[in-house]
Amino acid sequence: MKDIFRNISSIFLALMVLLSTVSWTVDKHLCMGRVMDVSFFAHADDCGMEEAMAALGTEAGENHCCDDESFTLKGQDNLKLSWYDLDLEHQTFLVAFTQSYFDLFVPVEELPVPHEKYPPPILVRDVQVLDQVFLI
């Protein structure tokens, strides 16, 4: 289950990097206020109104019913961050976090004994015999 989650998350992050770095251009052709064609990365096809107006003998310059709109979403160009772009507080946090994270995976030869240096108290009298309390 852990491997499946890791694979899915790595594919998701790779797609996010790809989508954030690609520039997107959307081109729309409007005819009489209605969207006739939408295209990504290329020019949108027109509705054929200019050819019809030319066949009728009117000038294409008089046709004001068609309109082309396009907008571009710019992607990131600079993805390489430098260590010196971070301020001192962030650098300190990253070093401390990385060191503590890697210390989690250091193999331990033997488990530590929490009371190794503290011996048990010396019993002067046997309390069970004095109070005559015995387990049956």
Side-chain angles (χ1 to χ4, degrees):
M1 186 68 175
K2 187 176 180 181
D3 292 334
I4 294 172
F5 177 71
R6 183 180 302 144
N7 289 338
I8 290 172
S9 63
S10 63
I11 289 171
F12 175 74
L13 290 174
L15 286 175
M16 290 299 292
V17 169
L18 177 68
L19 293 177
S20 69
T21 56
V22 174
S23 295
W24 298 86
T25 301
V26 179
D27 195 24
K28 293 190 292 187
H29 180 76
L30 302 167
C31 187
M32 295 184 191
R34 295 177 60 191
V35 177
M36 299 307 269
D37 190 27
V38 176
S39 176
F40 296 102
F41 305 114
H43 183 68
D45 294 333
D46 60 349
C47 60
M49 185 66 75
E50 287 83 14
E51 290 86 14
M53 295 297 265
L56 290 175
T58 59
E59 294 182 16
E62 297 176 4
N63 184 11
H64 297 291
C65 67
C66 292
D67 191 21
D68 289 324
E69 292 181 5
S70 67
F71 60 92
T72 302
L73 297 172
K74 294 283 185 180
Q76 290 181 341
D77 290 335
N78 188 8
L79 290 179
K80 187 174 181 180
L81 291 176
S82 173
W83 175 257
Y84 300 107
D85 291 340
L86 301 173
D87 56 350
L88 182 63
E89 293 174 357
H90 289 115
Q91 289 177 359
T92 306
F93 172 75
L94 286 176
V95 168
F97 180 78
T98 305
Q99 182 65 33
S100 64
Y101 182 75
F102 286 136
D103 284 344
L104 292 175
F105 301 109
V106 173
V108 179
E109 286 81 23
E110 61 182 46
L111 293 174
V113 178
H115 305 296
E116 182 178 358
K117 296 182 181 178
Y118 301 105
I122 300 174
L123 294 176
V124 180
R125 301 181 211 149
D126 193 3
V127 177
Q128 290 181 346
V129 175
L130 289 175
D131 292 339
Q132 295 186 0
V133 177
F134 304 105
L135 294 177
I136 300 177

